[in-house]
Amino acid sequence: MRHVAIVGSGPAGFYTAEALGKAFGAGIAIDLLDRLPVPYGLIRFGVAPDHQSIKAVARRYEKVALTPGIRFLGNVHLGADVSIEELLHYYDAVVLATGAPLDRRLDIPGDDLPGVIGSAAFVGWYNGHPDFADLRPPLDVSAAAIIGNGNVALDVARILAKTPAEFTGSDIVAHAFEALGASAVRAITIFGRRGPHQVAMTPKELGELGHLAAASPLVDQADFPPPGTDAMLDPGQRKSVEHLRSFAAAQPDGAKPKTIAFDFFARPVAIEGDGRAERLVVERTALDASGQARGTGETYTIAAGLVVSCIGYSSPPIPGIPFDQSLGRFPNTDGRIEDRLYAVGWARRGPTGTIGTNRPDGYEVAEAIAAAFPPTAEPSGRGGGAGLDRLLDSRGCDPVLFADWQKIEAAEVAAARTGFAREKLVRLPDLLKAVGR
Ligand code: NAP
């Protein structure tokens, strides 16, 4: 019998558990640990609430969690309740699937003003992450700036632009639904430091902006290179640029009160305001020979009472494990960090890629673990989950098991209002109360 601990119960953690279960069959005991009492990580807290088809992958993870030999242990905090050294003592292998839950900072003057919010916090707020339940983003302002040209910037723009009716069928939390319904934001600007050919936005997500009930996307024709140059883009990128060109060609719909304007070749250099964000100072950029953005020295100022930076994520350090800040991941070779310690997902690759990218990642690391620790019916000599349980018990840590999560989920579904998939519980005490604690 082999014992493996996976830290993090998002997509990377679940695909790894699934792959290990297939590789070892009954010869493995897997513990999936999460610091929150609920599983699914980025699926629950990162994927936009109006993208339920993406969130549906949680059903696959549920099957994994219900597989004999696999346990979910929520409310167990690596570093506070148990250390990596202790996990390595109890388990044959430990897999870090800890993702990248922190915001990369803009690192410009004024980025600490009230009203400047990172996407992890903003997305966490509208998705019911307990850490951001009290965020209260300023939505009493008419102009919002979104920094970055990735899919998260699109998610944030779309959520700011949607009407209440457009959230039907979503699982947006009540506090965000109500605040967004009362929002005064009308002018949303997405700033990209490079141009339309360099966006990190995928076509499906970009296309959605063309179908919003109350918002028109605006793109300046002058920002495009000659149409013939689109041919050198890969097909997905070409499709994204096609969407942008069609937005530029369309007449803004005067009946729609909101706008989502793309400001390309524009990088923020400062955020100003009297005690809160009021203005964004932007420098015009041009691409250098290597395709990177270089400032031209020309600056301008645009009103922005809410600034959401969507410029990527970072991971919190784990004591004793080297971390590469510039790449945003734990240095590893094909997922192996050091003897018996592995990384998958964003902890392995850095914060890029879709949910599905984590599947081959998890399978590859499971294969490496199977090669290093061939399945055996013999006891491995390590305490595994029983050892961890004793340790946690001695520390007064009472894990939330998968059956507890099912109770939380049932409580959320029972509280749902018409039109919503569920009413998420957003505070740790409420989540724990739902399981009778
Ligand atoms: P991302 O795709 O890496 O995009 C980050 C953007 O921020 C880039 O446009 C980057 O510009 C820009 N940026 C970085 N530093 C900047 C700075 N200092 N100033 C101005 N701009 C800066 O990151 P993301 O949007 O956070 O998404 C993370 C991953 O999740 C991506 O792989 C994404 O596709 C995925 N995701 C997918 C979905 C979906 O499939 N529906 C939804 C959300 C997220 P440069 O290109 O110039 O560096």
Side-chain angles (χ1 to χ4, degrees), residues 54 104 147-152 155 193-194 200 205 310-313 346 351-353:
I54 300 178
R104 280 189 53 216
I147 318 294
N149 268 182
N151 279 330
V152 172
D155 281 347
R193 60 183 172 182
R194 299 193 287 160
E205 283 64 28
C310 306
I311 61 167
Y313 297 111
W346 284 4
T352 61

Side-chain angles (χ1 to χ4, degrees), residues 90-166:
Y90 289 120
Y91 296 86
D92 295 294
V94 175
V95 182
L96 299 180
T98 42
L102 307 179
D103 283 306
R104 280 189 53 216
R105 280 196 68 170
L106 273 171
D107 215 12
I108 57 174
D111 70 356
D112 54 350
L113 281 172
V116 184
I117 299 173
S119 55
F122 193 74
V123 171
W125 170 73
Y126 63 61
N127 263 328
H129 193 299
D131 290 356
F132 306 112
D134 296 319
L135 187 72
R136 293 192 185 85
L139 297 172
D140 56 338
V141 299
S142 61
I146 298 173
I147 318 294
N149 268 182
N151 279 330
V152 172
L154 284 180
D155 281 347
V156 169
R158 195 180 65 254
I159 295 296
L160 281 173
K162 277 198 162 179
T163 59
E166 289 177 288

Side-chain angles (χ1 to χ4, degrees), residues 280-302:
L280 186 67
V281 184
V282 185
E283 182 180 23
R284 193 53 75 208
T285 64
L287 297 186
D288 66 13
S290 64
Q292 295 309 306
R294 295 282 169 250
T296 61
E298 177 198 342
T299 59
Y300 55 98
T301 300
I302 181 165

Side-chain angles (χ1 to χ4, degrees), residues 52 164-172 177 416-422:
Q52 288 295 310
E166 289 177 288
F167 286 111
T168 304
S170 76
D171 66 343
I172 192 165
F177 177 71
R417 313 170 191 196
T418 312
F420 289 90
R422 69 177 53 176

Side-chain angles (χ1 to χ4, degrees), residues 7-35:
V7 187
S9 70
F14 266 102
Y15 284 123
T16 308
E18 178 186 89
L20 283 168
K22 285 186 182 163
F24 284 85
I28 194 164
I30 301 167
D31 282 346
L32 266 160
L33 314 181
D34 204 297
R35 85 177 170 93

Side-chain angles (χ1 to χ4, degrees), residues 45 74 88 130 165 175 262 288 296 338 342 383 435:
F45 298 116
L88 285 166
H175 63 222
F262 286 78
D288 66 13
T296 61
E338 58 182 51
Y342 299 82
V435 294

